[in-house]
Amino acid sequence: MKAMYPCGASLPEDVLSVFDPEGARRRMGVDRAGFGRVFEHIWREVSERRTLIDAAWQAGDFKRIGLQAHTIKSAAATIGAEGLCRAAAAVERAAEAGDRQALDAAMAALRTARETLCRLVGIQQR
């Protein structure tokens, strides 16, 4: 996976509300290359968790959904993917509440947030 990291670029406010790589990089105290390596590692983790959350959703296993969503939420926050973090938090809340209707909507929002982040950083989706 070769992504284009917009670190250092002046990003519009609407993009920063979804993805703030420069803010995440500063919080981590790493240079741009270091952030790129962290991003790559975390993105692999998010992709694996997304596969697990999809399988748990298909099985109707709300506990596993909540666990995977919690991990995605934390990983997304680390890399400044605020939109993905918010979407994962909504999935986690819906799963914990056992609310299938809310979970369906939250899962759709999670897919959209992931797609948006992929477009922003130039990652080909699988």
Side-chain angles (χ1 to χ4, degrees), residues 28-103:
M28 283 186 244
V30 297
D31 62 12
R32 288 185 178 97
F35 178 79
R37 288 188 300 277
V38 169
F39 184 95
E40 297 267 343
H41 174 75
I42 286 177
W43 192 252
R44 279 191 301 275
E45 178 72 20
V46 166
S47 295
E48 289 171 16
R49 297 293 176 155
R50 192 222 51 192
T51 299
L52 293 171
I53 204 171
D54 287 346
W57 186 47
Q58 291 296 321
D61 187 339
F62 285 21
K63 185 174 180 171
R64 279 191 316 155
I65 292 168
L67 174 65
Q68 301 308 326
H70 181 80
T71 303
I72 291 171
K73 176 181 74 173
S74 299
T78 300
I79 59 172
E82 298 304 323
L84 186 61
C85 180
R86 287 188 301 270
V91 169
E92 183 181 21
R93 282 190 306 274
E96 287 174 353
D99 185 340
R100 181 66 188 206
Q101 187 175 1
L103 185 57

